[in-house]
Amino acid sequence: MDTITLFPNRKGSRMASNKASRTNALLSFSQSQLQPGCVALIGAGPGDAELLTLKALSYLQQADVVLYDYLVSDEIMALIPSETILVCVGKKAGHHSVPQHKTNQLLVDFAQQGYKVARIKGGDPFMFGRGGEELEVLADAGIGFEVIPGITAAAGATAYAGIPLTHRDYAQSAMFITGHLKSEYDHMDWSTLARGHQTLVIYMGLMKSCYIQQQLIEHGRAIDTPVAIIERGTQAQQKVLIGTLSELANLAEDAQSPSLIVIGEVVSLASKLAWFGSQTQQEKSTQSMAI
């Protein structure tokens, strides 16, 4: 049986003094208070720590316990005070994962013992993040909670790759789906998903890229439709692979999780609008040093 007493406090600080002072200055803008015995469900965004909301940062600073996923970047984890109890409950393909029911129980146990609990997830917790499932458990247990939205990968990663989700000349709609598909239980409306002049964004789709490619082509999407795979979007390690729908499965072989698949005419703008990269990071570092 799980017991929360098995999770020790951390020793040592991961934040430099200058980072701490900047953090304190930002926190002065936030007035919200995380209450004992309550859970804050927080979206961490796609990885760039500067995309974290002020309220999310404030609650991470106030929390006694933080339950986090693998998708939360190291830069964001470094903003959490050293005395905070950290519990990794992430799920990762090919690695040992904490079952969802154990994560749910830990949230309940920590809250019932009066801790201020933060549950942080990559992206937005309500966008393929099982946030709703975890809140249902808290609601059933009579535990108070708040939701702090985050920038979802579909918005953040595409913006950093220079790919607008919609554009008057290329896409009048955008659709988000999960790539966790089982062909024998596939109830996707592929005819709708394969429409032209529409942006299709696929979360967690690398392992099913061949099946996705096949279904879209069979249902009418042109084989020369531009596609992009954005790996670790918004982070310093960001990599963008660009090709056509006929090449999707091959492109996926050169990508690693976490990655986002984007399919649609808007991808053709990436070469023109891409702005994030080594030059941008160098300029940002120079500006930080000047400050």
Side-chain angles (χ1 to χ4, degrees):
M1 181 175 179
D2 290 318
T3 171
I4 62 176
T5 59
L6 296 178
F7 300 103
N9 287 349
R10 294 176 299 151
K11 294 182 179 180
S13 174
R14 298 172 64 183
M15 295 190 298
S17 59
N18 62 335
K19 179 179 289 186
S21 63
R22 291 198 300 269
T23 299
N24 290 334
L26 289 172
L27 291 177
S28 66
F29 288 96
S30 179
Q31 303 299 319
S32 300
Q33 295 294 314
L34 179 57
Q35 299 301 316
C38 291
V39 177
L41 179 63
I42 299 172
D48 186 342
E50 291 182 277
L51 297 180
L52 196 67
T53 66
L54 289 176
K55 189 167 187 176
L57 176 60
S58 175
Y59 276 17
L60 287 176
Q61 293 280 311
Q62 295 178 42
D64 302 315
V65 183
V66 175
L67 286 77
Y68 68 99
D69 286 347
Y70 288 111
L71 291 179
V72 180
S73 69
D74 292 340
E75 291 76 14
I76 290 175
M77 294 301 298
L79 297 172
I80 301 172
S82 59
E83 64 271 16
T84 306
I85 299 172
L86 292 184
V87 184
C88 181
V89 292
K91 297 169 179 60
K92 196 174 185 181
H95 295 74
H96 173 71
S97 299
V98 177
Q100 186 63 53
H101 70 90
K102 288 190 176 182
T103 299
N104 297 343
Q105 190 59 52
L106 284 170
L107 289 171
V108 171
D109 289 346
F110 278 120
Q112 287 182 337
Q113 294 203 21
Y115 288 96
K116 299 177 183 179
V117 184
R119 171 69 170 109
I120 186 168
K121 294 171 172 284
D124 181 88
F126 280 179
M127 184 66 75
F128 304 119
R130 300 188 182 182
E133 297 176 33
E134 293 178 7
L135 291 190
E136 284 187 281
V137 173
L138 296 177
D140 290 342
I143 294 170
F145 54 81
E146 295 185 43
V147 182
I148 297 87
I151 295 176
T152 184
T158 55
Y160 275 50
I163 301 172
L165 288 173
T166 61
H167 188 288
R168 287 192 297 173
D169 296 330
Y170 298 100
Q172 288 72 53
S173 63
M175 299 189 71
F176 306 154
I177 67 171
T178 175
H180 281 175
L181 305 170
K182 295 183 178 180
S183 55
E184 62 271 27
Y185 301 112
D186 181 10
H187 300 296
M188 291 287 187
D189 183 356
W190 287 104
S191 296
T192 298
L193 298 176
R195 291 184 306 195
H197 297 286
Q198 169 179 270
T199 306
L200 181 62
V201 181
I202 305 166
Y203 290 71
M204 302 166 286
L206 288 183
M207 296 181 66
K208 292 293 183 178
S209 59
C210 184
Y211 178 73
I212 292 167
Q213 173 185 311
Q214 176 188 1
Q215 291 299 311
L216 290 175
I217 292 175
E218 286 185 2
H219 288 83
R221 198 64 152 129
I223 61 174
D224 61 351
T225 301
V227 303
I229 299 178
I230 308 170
E231 179 181 318
R232 294 194 175 276
T234 80
Q235 301 181 45
Q237 308 93 330
Q238 175 178 293
K239 181 171 72 172
V240 183
L241 304 172
I242 293 180
T244 64
L245 182 56
S246 62
E247 302 169 319
L248 177 59
N250 291 332
L251 289 175
E253 293 179 358
D254 295 324
Q256 297 181 351
S257 296
S259 288
L260 193 75
I261 298 174
V262 186
I263 301 171
E265 290 80 4
V266 290
V267 174
S268 64
L269 293 169
S271 59
K272 183 178 182 180
L273 303 182
W275 59 273
F276 180 72
S278 57
Q279 181 177 358
T280 302
Q281 291 304 298
Q282 184 176 1
E283 292 173 354
K284 180 188 260 188
S285 298
T286 302
Q287 293 170 359
S288 297
M289 292 175 63
I291 294 173

